[in-house]
Amino acid sequence: MIYPWQQHQWQQSIDYVINNRLAHAILLSGPSSIGKLSYCLSFVQRLNCTQPDINNFPCGKCNDCRSFLARTHPDIRLVNVDDQEETNKAEQIKVDQIKVDEIREINQFMTLSRQQGRYKVVCIAQAEQMNMNAANALLKTLEEPPADSILFLVSHQAESLLATVRSRCQIWKLNIPQQQIALDWLNQQAENKSWATLLQVANGRPLHALALCQTGLGKERE
């Protein structure tokens, strides 16, 4: 699923696919709690979907979509991604350091032949958690990407990644949404007179504002 403030970005991403300009490595960067991981997962699903809808969203019904949603797709590997897709929590929870052995496994996975989908895909959330050895190991895949393979790195601290890693990625920058778009979405989630205040406390990040509301802070502010 993508959020209302990501509609324009989605069309740009789809254009990369349609015009054959999709890179082998893509870095999704931007502040936390704006839906980067959810966006990435939706796009990963769309890449192998065989029956996308009229708006180029994944159908959710084809064999590839069902396999992805069940986390059993043989051509997709997810790292640091919560199985329940609780996007806000997944972007906020501090994960352990990504070590070199994990990246070596990813490198090996990327060299395997595709079994089902059109693309071989890896998504690494909180990519800034790679240690130096892991980042250097990843360069092997970035420098010699297998055919029909795509690596996604998701990070709200992209500046922490090795410059050599960033330079080999196509950068997709996701930004904080306009205030009114964020408020409209928040009002659809729950009735709360303090959304504007919570959004301000959350520095404009709607998913963080929603999380603050769920802690009861909105009532306290009222």
Side-chain angles (χ1 to χ4, degrees), residues 117-136:
R118 178 183 176 187
Y119 293 98
K120 197 90 173 176
V121 187
V122 169
C123 171
I124 303 177
Q126 297 195 38
E128 70 277 357
Q129 292 301 113
M130 286 188 292
N131 64 27
M132 185 65 71
N133 289 336
N136 282 322

Side-chain angles (χ1 to χ4, degrees), residues 21-26 43-44 47-48 75-77 106-114 117-123 138 140-152 168 170:
R21 294 193 296 120
L22 197 62
H24 287 289
I26 296 167
F43 194 75
V44 169
L47 283 175
N48 282 324
D75 299 318
I76 298 174
R77 183 71 60 84
I106 291 299
N107 290 343
Q108 179 62 30
F109 170 78
M110 292 291 265
T111 64
L112 301 176
S113 300
R114 288 177 289 114
R118 178 183 176 187
Y119 293 98
K120 197 90 173 176
V121 187
V122 169
C123 171
L138 187 66
K140 179 179 180 180
T141 292
L142 293 176
E143 291 169 351
E144 300 176 8
D148 298 319
S149 68
I150 303 178
L151 171 70
F152 290 92
R168 287 166 172 78
Q170 189 176 70

Side-chain angles (χ1 to χ4, degrees), residues 22-40:
L22 197 62
H24 287 289
I26 296 167
L27 171 61
L28 281 83
S29 69
S32 63
S33 299
I34 60 170
K36 296 188 305 300
L37 181 56
S38 180
Y39 184 95
C40 185

